[in-house]
Amino acid sequence: MEGDPTLQLRIFDLNCWAIRYLSKRRQERVQLIGDMLRQERFDLVLLQEVWSEQDYSNLKVKLGGCYPFSHYFRSGVIGSGLCVFSRFPILDTLLYQYSLNGYPYMLQHGDWFCGKSVGLVIIKISGIIFNVYVTHLHAEYCREKDAYLPHRLVQAWELAQFIRHTSKAADVVLLGGDLNMHPEDVGIRLLRGWTGLRDAFTEATRFEGCEDGCTLVPNNCFTVKTELMPFPLGIRIDYILYKAVSTFTVKCEELKTTMGTAPGTDIPFSDHEAVMATLHIQRQGQAAGANLSTAELTLADVVTEARTEVGVGLRAAQRQRYSTGRMAVLALLLLLLQAVAALGALAGLAAGQPFPKLSFSLLAFLAIGVLLLATSLHLFHTIEVKMLQGTEEQMRMVLWALQEHP
Amino acid sequence: MEGDPTLQLRIFDLNCWAIRYLSKRRQERVQLIGDMLRQERFDLVLLQEVWSEQDYSNLKVKLGGCYPFSHYFRSGVIGSGLCVFSRFPILDTLLYQYSLNGYPYMLQHGDWFCGKSVGLVIIKISGIIFNVYVTHLHAEYCREKDAYLPHRLVQAWELAQFIRHTSKAADVVLLGGDLNMHPEDVGIRLLRGWTGLRDAFTEATRFEGCEDGCTLVPNNCFTVKTELMPFPLGIRIDYILYKAVSTFTVKCEELKTTMGTAPGTDIPFSDHEAVMATLHIQRQGQAAGANLSTAELTLADVVTEARTEVGVGLRAAQRQRYSTGRMAVLALLLLLLQAVAALGALAGLAAGQPFPKLSFSLLAFLAIGVLLLATSLHLFHTIEVKMLQGTEEQMRMVLWALQEHP
């Protein structure tokens, strides 16, 4: 078996920042991305933030010659933004939508409307089964006070669980995407620890690109400079991760990121830099076994850390559920009071007209509005509490299994 | 290998109809169910419609002695209602929430609020890996004009896909639940065809229980008799399905349903009858291979039939998306007109007071209400269209694979 030829696989990953009406010079950039992909002829292309299906269709037409197989994942109001182009036939697909993804009322952040998900495509190359995952996790808008950390952790956990449960027949697992986490963050340590995935950047024999492998850099003319102030080099939040499941080995020979503007233009492809990995896959005599006991001890620490953060989020969600519930009850009481007053006036109990009609009806409408809004929020935070509790309990189960019954 | 001892597994499945405040004599029935489960000592218990976590906790306390392992699946506002009790350790769990599940404004049906899902628990018994799925699909409220058929078909499809993708390392797959489909319905043929699952009722060597294996019968005092009018014997919508994935065979030795009232009382356990299967699992020399080409031809027919129904649902959803969008635009126009009129009055363009203030503000509030409602519905139907399109495309891919590239 040792003599089996090595399979070389070139993978491209990019958050395309192609939001209709909002992203700058979107159509021009999507065209540039298409041109480059056609020219470079990767084996696998994993894209995020392709929010417009029209952009996907245009890319599909343009790339049909060199990437005859593709899939667009639909979810949420706007879509998942995820799509895959492949030189090799896509045998099957599956989409998993994360149970938590920010708040519908945070309109300025908008993540909730995107139906953030993980997409799976199954590809067979030279008899080797590849489970390829593409995802985009909730953005981090303020690192110091990251209100979305519990949601992103739930997503990282669900991503890890989804990969573990669906990749059991795979020979090689690949994950590409914008994880919105720095390499040392608890979420990425959880994901890597719980799935065994390895980071192409740290494993690569050769690297070429932005310093430290950063994918959101101040030099890019589309990035918001103030957000990157604490990170003069930029941040690394886009990843290609991989592992061999059965009797295969995977090595990352080369990792690259894009830098500066697209060739022959004055703009970069996106506000993110693309990540490009060249992997070498070879069959080997027997499955590689890691030093499990040490790994499991570290994993237990990471799961504990993640569980603490989820617990913090749970208590915040419980507080919000309580306060929105109280608000709904108060609005209902006000409405009932008004109804009693109106009935009293109608029955002639009060002498004359006690309230001006206009203010009275405005107040009633206000109360109805508050009641509806507070009830919706209460229901939403009830779901949030349930999902955070569910994740915390799953993590507790895993910790129990790791610590007591290895 | 042929000499391996046979593993006998006794499985219990019941839709418990335990909706807080709504289900009749709920607490009494949950107690009866607990008593019976403790007495009968099944190996695996799959329950649906346990909507109250308190009921689950009570059952857990009561059953702790004979079913030391259990899991409750959380999702949606109310919960998934799904839980599992097991004599054997639960190694891992995963929940998948269906992307479509009725309409939030159909309050009288309420399915939308339940976050209908499929739960997976992984159990190892005598070295055999069991992937056990429990689920509850959208109810059928009117068989002649079933508005929820496309949603239930999407759910059946997602259920089949979820089982296929997550069961690749399993030796035996079990599915129990209230599928809300009659045995000959397209959804169940799709599910069975696409996963290879077999129906314990049709495969059972011995059967004992309600005629034709019905699980919703007119004799049950909690069922709505008018709904069962066209079916004098009742209907069979609760199932235990199974298959052996690798080198195992599974045989259903016995299938039973509950009948009549619980022992020593005047009420049945639920409005559904429970399904109880005794399975014999044995290791065999080599994996059993079905006659694939015939099976695939039938499967292609079933997928085509399901795809047609999903297409009907898609067109209905598109019409609703259009009409709610038009309603939102009209409400916005009315609001703008009012704003212009009000500004005109303020600027003194109109002589005197053109409209009575009260009617004017009531109309504005009405327009705002309609705008908000129509916009929400438009967003909802946009999601519905996307998910139906996604399913239709997945089915198209499968058909292409089945017909062109077997």
Side-chain angles (χ1 to χ4, degrees):
Chain A
M1 292 276 191
E2 289 286 352
D4 266 19
T6 301
L7 175 74
Q8 182 184 287
L9 206 68
R10 290 176 62 230
I11 303 157
F12 177 92
D13 172 83
L14 175 64
N15 177 329
C16 297
W17 190 47
I19 313 168
R20 231 197 294 206
Y21 316 120
L22 287 179
S23 299
K24 286 178 197 156
R25 301 175 73 171
R26 185 190 104 243
Q27 287 172 307
E28 201 180 340
R29 289 187 295 102
V30 171
Q31 278 206 356
L32 286 173
I33 292 169
D35 292 339
M36 181 264 293
L37 290 177
R38 195 163 56 178
Q39 199 182 328
E40 288 281 339
R41 293 180 175 268
F42 293 94
D43 296 297
L44 254 179
V45 174
L46 311 175
L47 302 181
Q48 302 98 51
E49 289 209 0
V50 182
W51 297 120
S52 142
E53 270 196 64
Q54 191 53 53
D55 284 344
Y56 166 73
S57 302
N58 295 344
L59 279 174
K60 194 174 164 167
V61 169
K62 179 178 257 178
L63 301 178
C66 32
Y67 305 88
F69 306 95
S70 65
H71 189 77
Y72 185 78
F73 292 99
R74 289 183 179 85
S75 87
V77 180
I78 307 177
S80 73
L82 307 172
C83 60
V84 174
F85 290 89
S86 164
R87 268 186 58 210
F88 303 95
I90 294 174
L91 303 183
D92 210 341
T93 67
L94 187 65
L95 185 76
Y96 182 96
Q97 201 167 332
Y98 299 123
S99 61
L100 288 181
N101 187 33
Y103 303 99
Y105 49 83
M106 298 300 273
L107 289 174
Q108 76 278 31
H109 291 163
D111 291 65
W112 187 82
F113 292 91
C114 305
K116 289 268 165 69
S117 315
V118 46
L120 157 65
V121 298
I122 298 181
I123 293 171
K124 196 175 189 174
I125 311 172
S126 312
I128 307 172
I129 299 282
F130 287 81
N131 268 34
V132 182
Y133 300 85
V134 56
T135 195
H136 185 184
L137 303 194
H138 197 292
E140 182 185 75
Y141 294 97
C142 169
R143 195 160 174 83
E144 287 67 45
K145 215 183 160 187
D146 182 10
Y148 300 110
L149 178 60
H151 284 212
R152 203 179 309 103
L153 271 175
V154 169
Q155 294 185 344
W157 177 257
E158 289 180 348
L159 172 60
Q161 283 283 76
F162 182 71
I163 292 175
R164 286 178 61 249
H165 282 282
T166 52
S167 65
K168 286 178 178 162
D171 298 311
V172 178
V173 174
L174 300 174
L175 166 64
D178 175 358
L179 302 183
N180 271 312
M181 300 186 282
H182 297 209
E184 71 283 7
D185 285 0
V186 58
I188 198 134
R189 284 183 284 130
L190 180 72
L191 172 67
R192 286 179 47 207
W194 193 222
T195 57
L197 285 165
R198 282 144 65 197
D199 184 347
F201 174 75
T202 51
E203 304 278 334
T205 313
R206 286 192 305 283
F207 174 74
E208 195 181 302
C210 301
E211 212 168 328
D212 283 353
C214 291
T215 57
L216 210 62
V217 294
N219 279 342
N220 184 307
C221 66
F222 294 130
T223 53
V224 184
K225 304 296 168 285
T226 47
E227 283 178 8
L228 290 173
M229 283 274 266
F231 309 99
L233 292 178
I235 55 179
R236 185 160 78 91
I237 57 174
D238 299 85
Y239 296 82
I240 291 177
L241 306 173
Y242 63 84
K243 70 166 174 174
V245 174
S246 52
T247 56
F248 287 87
T249 50
V250 185
K251 270 185 196 159
C252 181
E253 279 302 306
E254 186 177 61
L255 194 85
K256 283 186 181 181
T257 72
T258 49
M259 286 177 85
T261 56
T265 66
D266 63 332
I267 50 165
F269 293 111
S270 167
D271 62 344
H272 286 241
E273 302 302 323
V275 185
M276 293 160 285
T278 305
L279 302 182
H280 283 189
I281 296 123
Q282 200 172 20
R283 196 185 291 267
Q284 66 166 16
Q286 54 184 24
N291 187 347
L292 273 180
S293 57
T294 334
E296 279 185 356
L297 278 180
T298 325
L299 178 58
D301 290 344
V302 176
V303 176
T304 307
E305 193 180 338
R307 193 176 161 222
T308 310
E309 291 293 349
V310 170
V312 171
L314 175 59
R315 280 182 290 284
Q318 281 168 330
R319 278 194 300 274
Q320 283 176 301
R321 181 178 63 169
Y322 173 75
S323 61
T324 49
R326 190 180 51 185
M327 178 74 85
V329 170
L330 287 177
L332 189 66
L333 284 179
L334 178 60
L335 266 180
L336 288 177
L337 204 68
Q338 283 200 292
V340 170
L343 283 176
L346 277 180
L349 291 178
Q353 177 73 33
F355 314 105
K357 264 187 190 168
L358 181 66
S359 332
F360 194 79
S361 37
L362 283 181
L363 189 64
F365 272 106
L366 188 71
I368 291 174
V370 171
L371 177 63
L372 287 178
L373 190 70
T375 308
S376 311
L377 287 177
H378 182 70
L379 290 180
F380 178 81
H381 288 299
T382 302
I383 299 180
E384 191 188 11
V385 164
K386 271 187 196 294
M387 301 326 293
L388 287 166
Q389 278 176 336
T391 307
E392 213 195 9
E393 200 183 297
Q394 273 193 42
M395 288 177 171
R396 193 183 49 73
M397 262 181 65
V398 167
L399 278 174
W400 173 81
L402 285 176
Q403 289 166 340
E404 306 291 321
H405 302 257
Chain B
M1 290 274 191
E2 290 285 350
D4 265 19
T6 301
L7 176 73
Q8 181 184 290
L9 206 69
R10 290 177 62 230
I11 303 158
F12 177 91
D13 172 82
L14 175 64
N15 177 331
C16 297
W17 190 47
I19 313 167
R20 231 198 291 207
Y21 315 120
L22 288 179
S23 299
K24 285 178 198 156
R25 302 175 75 171
R26 186 189 104 245
Q27 286 173 306
E28 200 180 340
R29 289 188 295 104
V30 171
Q31 278 205 357
L32 286 174
I33 293 170
D35 292 341
M36 182 265 291
L37 291 176
R38 196 164 53 179
Q39 198 181 329
E40 288 282 337
R41 294 182 174 266
F42 293 95
D43 296 298
L44 255 178
V45 174
L46 312 175
L47 303 180
Q48 302 99 52
E49 290 210 359
V50 182
W51 296 120
S52 143
E53 270 195 63
Q54 191 54 50
D55 283 344
Y56 167 73
S57 303
N58 294 345
L59 278 174
K60 194 174 162 166
V61 169
K62 179 178 256 177
L63 302 177
C66 31
Y67 306 89
F69 306 95
S70 66
H71 189 76
Y72 186 79
F73 291 99
R74 288 182 179 85
S75 88
V77 179
I78 307 175
S80 71
L82 308 171
C83 60
V84 175
F85 290 90
S86 165
R87 268 186 59 210
F88 303 95
I90 293 175
L91 302 183
D92 210 341
T93 67
L94 188 64
L95 184 76
Y96 181 95
Q97 202 168 333
Y98 300 122
S99 61
L100 287 181
N101 186 34
Y103 304 99
Y105 49 83
M106 297 300 272
L107 289 173
Q108 76 276 29
H109 292 161
D111 292 65
W112 187 83
F113 292 92
C114 306
K116 289 268 164 70
S117 316
V118 45
L120 157 65
V121 299
I122 297 180
I123 293 172
K124 197 175 188 174
I125 310 172
S126 313
I128 307 172
I129 299 283
F130 287 81
N131 269 33
V132 182
Y133 300 86
V134 56
T135 194
H136 185 185
L137 302 194
H138 197 293
E140 183 185 74
Y141 293 97
C142 168
R143 194 159 174 84
E144 286 67 47
K145 215 179 159 190
D146 182 10
Y148 299 111
L149 177 60
H151 283 212
R152 203 179 310 104
L153 271 175
V154 168
Q155 294 184 343
W157 176 258
E158 290 180 349
L159 171 60
Q161 283 283 77
F162 182 71
I163 292 176
R164 286 178 63 248
H165 282 282
T166 53
S167 65
K168 286 177 178 165
D171 297 311
V172 177
V173 174
L174 300 175
L175 165 63
D178 175 359
L179 302 182
N180 271 310
M181 299 187 283
H182 297 211
E184 71 282 5
D185 284 359
V186 57
I188 198 133
R189 284 183 284 131
L190 181 73
L191 172 67
R192 287 180 45 206
W194 193 222
T195 56
L197 284 166
R198 282 145 64 198
D199 184 347
F201 173 74
T202 53
E203 305 277 335
T205 313
R206 284 192 306 283
F207 173 74
E208 194 182 302
C210 301
E211 211 168 329
D212 283 353
C214 292
T215 57
L216 210 61
V217 294
N219 280 341
N220 184 307
C221 65
F222 296 129
T223 53
V224 184
K225 303 297 168 285
T226 49
E227 285 177 7
L228 290 174
M229 283 274 267
F231 309 99
L233 292 178
I235 55 179
R236 184 159 77 91
I237 57 174
D238 298 84
Y239 296 83
I240 290 176
L241 305 173
Y242 63 84
K243 70 165 174 176
V245 175
S246 53
T247 55
F248 287 87
T249 49
V250 185
K251 270 186 196 156
C252 181
E253 280 301 306
E254 186 177 60
L255 194 83
K256 283 186 181 180
T257 71
T258 50
M259 286 176 86
T261 56
T265 66
D266 62 334
I267 49 165
F269 294 112
S270 167
D271 61 344
H272 286 241
E273 301 303 322
V275 185
M276 295 160 283
T278 305
L279 302 182
H280 284 189
I281 296 125
Q282 198 172 21
R283 197 185 292 268
Q284 65 166 17
Q286 54 185 18
N291 187 345
L292 273 181
S293 57
T294 334
E296 279 184 357
L297 278 180
T298 326
L299 178 58
D301 290 343
V302 176
V303 176
T304 307
E305 192 181 337
R307 193 176 161 222
T308 310
E309 290 293 350
V310 170
V312 171
L314 175 59
R315 281 183 290 284
Q318 280 168 332
R319 279 195 300 276
Q320 283 177 301
R321 181 178 63 171
Y322 173 76
S323 60
T324 49
R326 191 180 52 185
M327 179 74 87
V329 170
L330 287 177
L332 189 67
L333 284 179
L334 177 61
L335 266 180
L336 288 176
L337 203 70
Q338 283 201 292
V340 169
L343 284 175
L346 276 180
L349 292 178
Q353 177 72 31
F355 314 105
K357 262 188 192 168
L358 180 65
S359 332
F360 193 80
S361 36
L362 283 181
L363 189 64
F365 271 107
L366 187 71
I368 292 175
V370 171
L371 178 63
L372 287 178
L373 190 68
T375 308
S376 310
L377 287 178
H378 181 70
L379 291 180
F380 178 81
H381 288 298
T382 303
I383 298 180
E384 190 188 10
V385 165
K386 272 188 196 293
M387 299 327 292
L388 287 166
Q389 277 176 337
T391 306
E392 213 196 9
E393 200 184 297
Q394 272 193 42
M395 289 177 171
R396 194 182 49 73
M397 261 182 66
V398 167
L399 278 175
W400 173 81
L402 285 176
Q403 290 167 341
E404 306 290 322
H405 303 257

